[in-house]
């Protein structure tokens, strides 16, 4: 049974919107621009930031605490998922215009883990590199669309505020379930950008090839699909210069047969191992 809006809901929503939703909206728009411009380090950094804030907004709007998570979007996702498992994205969908060979199937939880790994604060300095896939932007769009809709009090009545007003008695959770592909207007920066009120350039950055937030009437510009990988900077500067083919040399490893050899020591792309928290 849905309940009516509690006292001070409007004030609480206003504070959460300004602190978390509005700033997340701008992080999300900039993450899309960075992806389009191949600024990959900042794409990951901003993608993690926007999801962190959306997750925290969902928790706060539904009576949960957002403290103790820091920037860990893996833990935040696990905290948000029980609130509305039926409303969160369960499987990614490849856009029709994307070649199948460029799409990699991946569970949602694995994508969030990978995003957090490559968007970790330490990786601002490329301490352990990254790997960006062509479909990463489309997966981010689908996660943002799914999570952002939940940044409201899910159990309150969808419309009306009195028992006898004759309006439907279903909750916001039920309303979202009835319209799974409908964008939920949270009256924040994302809506301003979508409507072009912040300029055509930002509107295009946000909406071009953003299928969850656009309908079939929107005319998308041409796009390309590319992979991008980067080894850790310290590896490329300190260890890769040692890379060589196996050669006989008076300076090298004593092989026990009178010769010494230098071996290829090119590193593989490293991944930072996350400590348990």
């Amino acid at each position: 049974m849905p309940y009516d809006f509690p006292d001070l809901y409007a004030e609480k929503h206003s504070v959460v919107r300004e602190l978390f939703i509005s700033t997340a909206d701008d992080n999300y728009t900039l993450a899309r621009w960075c992806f389009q411009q191949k600024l990959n380090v900042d794409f990951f950094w901003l993608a993690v930031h926007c999801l962190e804030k959306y997750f925290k907004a969902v928790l706060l709007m539904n009576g949960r605490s957002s403290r103790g998570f820091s920037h860990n979007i893996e833990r935040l996702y696990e905290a948000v998922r029980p609130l509305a498992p039926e409303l969160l994205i369960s499987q990614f969908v490849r856009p029709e215009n994307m070649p199948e060979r460029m799409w990699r199937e991946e569970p949602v939880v694995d994508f969030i883990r990978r995003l957090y790994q490559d968007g970790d604060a330490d990786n601002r300095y490329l301490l352990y590199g990254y790997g960006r896939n062509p479909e990463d932007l489309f997966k981010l769009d689908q996660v943002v669309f799914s999570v952002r809709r939940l940044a409201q009090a899910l159990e309150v009545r969808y419309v009306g505020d009195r028992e006898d007003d004759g309006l439907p008695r279903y909750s916001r959770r039920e309303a979202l379930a009835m319209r799974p592909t409908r964008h939920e207007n949270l009256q924040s920066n994302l809506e301003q950008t979508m409507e072009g009120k912040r300029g055509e350039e930002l509107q295009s950055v946000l909406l071009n090839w953003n299928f969850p937030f656009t309908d079939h009437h929107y005319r998308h510009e041409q796009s390309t699909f590319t992979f991008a990988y980067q080894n850790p900077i310290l590896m490329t500067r300190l260890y890769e210069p040692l890379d060589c083919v196996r050669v006989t040399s008076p300076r090298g490893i004593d092989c026990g047969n009178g010769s010494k050899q230098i071996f290829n020591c090119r590193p593989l792309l490293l991944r930072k191992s996350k400590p348990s928290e």
Side-chain angles (χ1 to χ4, degrees):
M1 182 72 178
Y3 58 83
D4 295 329
F5 283 112
D7 295 338
L8 300 179
Y9 174 84
E11 187 67 22
K12 178 179 180 179
H13 177 266
S14 176
V15 172
V16 172
R17 183 182 63 214
E18 291 184 36
L19 290 180
F20 294 93
I21 300 174
S22 292
T23 56
D25 288 345
D26 288 349
N27 292 157
Y28 173 48
T29 301
L30 284 173
R32 298 195 92 254
W33 183 80
C34 287
F35 186 95
Q36 295 161 9
Q37 301 299 321
K38 300 180 175 59
L39 301 176
N40 299 312
V41 172
D42 290 303
F43 163 70
F44 285 115
W45 171 252
L46 290 165
V48 167
H49 268 52
C50 79
L51 286 181
E52 173 199 340
K53 294 172 185 178
Y54 286 137
F55 284 139
K56 289 180 177 179
V58 174
L59 292 174
L60 291 169
M61 292 306 299
N62 287 280
R64 306 300 197 275
S65 174
S66 65
R67 299 182 64 181
F69 293 98
S70 186
H71 307 300
N72 193 326
I73 59 173
E74 288 186 79
R75 292 180 56 218
L76 281 163
Y77 175 64
E78 291 303 318
V80 165
R81 187 157 57 173
L83 295 177
E86 77 283 7
L87 298 178
L88 281 170
I89 182 173
S90 60
Q91 184 176 3
F92 292 117
V93 177
R94 176 177 61 87
E96 293 183 2
N97 295 335
M98 185 173 195
E100 187 174 355
R101 69 181 185 279
M102 305 298 289
W103 179 268
R104 187 172 71 94
E105 293 295 341
E106 181 179 28
V108 175
V109 66
D110 288 356
F111 171 71
I112 290 176
R113 181 180 301 115
R114 182 166 59 85
L115 203 63
Y116 179 45
Q117 177 176 267
D118 286 346
D120 182 85
D122 290 341
N123 212 27
R124 289 175 294 173
Y125 312 102
L126 273 179
L127 291 184
Y128 44 91
Y130 62 79
R132 182 187 59 72
N133 298 326
E135 80 281 359
D136 283 350
L137 182 60
F138 303 117
K139 291 178 177 177
L140 176 65
D141 292 336
Q142 292 178 37
V143 173
V144 167
F145 180 84
S146 172
V147 173
R148 190 180 186 273
R149 301 171 78 229
L150 307 183
Q152 54 184 309
L154 295 174
E155 306 305 335
V156 302
R157 191 178 178 192
Y158 185 66
V159 291
D161 57 6
R162 299 198 320 272
E163 291 280 352
D164 59 349
D165 56 17
L167 296 173
R169 295 296 301 168
Y170 53 79
S171 68
R172 288 176 175 252
R173 175 192 299 275
E174 294 169 311
L176 291 174
M178 294 177 198
R179 297 181 284 270
T181 61
R182 176 180 172 178
H183 162 248
E184 196 70 12
N185 189 340
L186 300 182
Q187 301 178 352
S188 192
N189 285 357
L190 192 78
E191 285 73 30
Q192 296 283 322
T193 304
M194 291 176 65
E195 295 168 11
K197 294 180 179 179
R198 306 176 76 192
E200 293 183 0
E201 184 175 359
L202 277 183
Q203 183 185 43
S204 177
V205 167
L206 176 61
L207 298 182
N208 192 44
W209 284 76
N210 192 339
F211 300 106
F213 285 97
T214 57
D215 58 27
H216 65 280
H217 297 295
Y218 187 84
R219 297 186 63 180
H220 298 279
E221 301 173 5
Q222 187 174 1
S223 184
T224 58
F225 309 99
T226 59
F227 295 88
Y229 297 95
Q230 173 66 58
N231 272 329
I233 290 297
L234 294 181
M235 278 291 181
T236 60
R237 296 300 299 272
L238 298 180
Y239 289 97
E240 284 193 358
L242 302 177
D243 180 26
C244 60
V245 296
R246 193 149 120 184
V247 296
T248 300
S249 169
R251 301 173 60 192
I253 300 174
D254 190 343
C255 298
N257 59 1
S259 68
K260 294 184 179 181
Q261 294 181 334
I262 298 175
F263 293 85
N264 188 325
C265 53
R266 179 182 294 277
L268 298 175
L269 180 67
L270 296 187
R271 293 294 187 185
K272 180 179 179 182
S273 177
K274 289 288 180 185
S276 58
E277 300 187 39

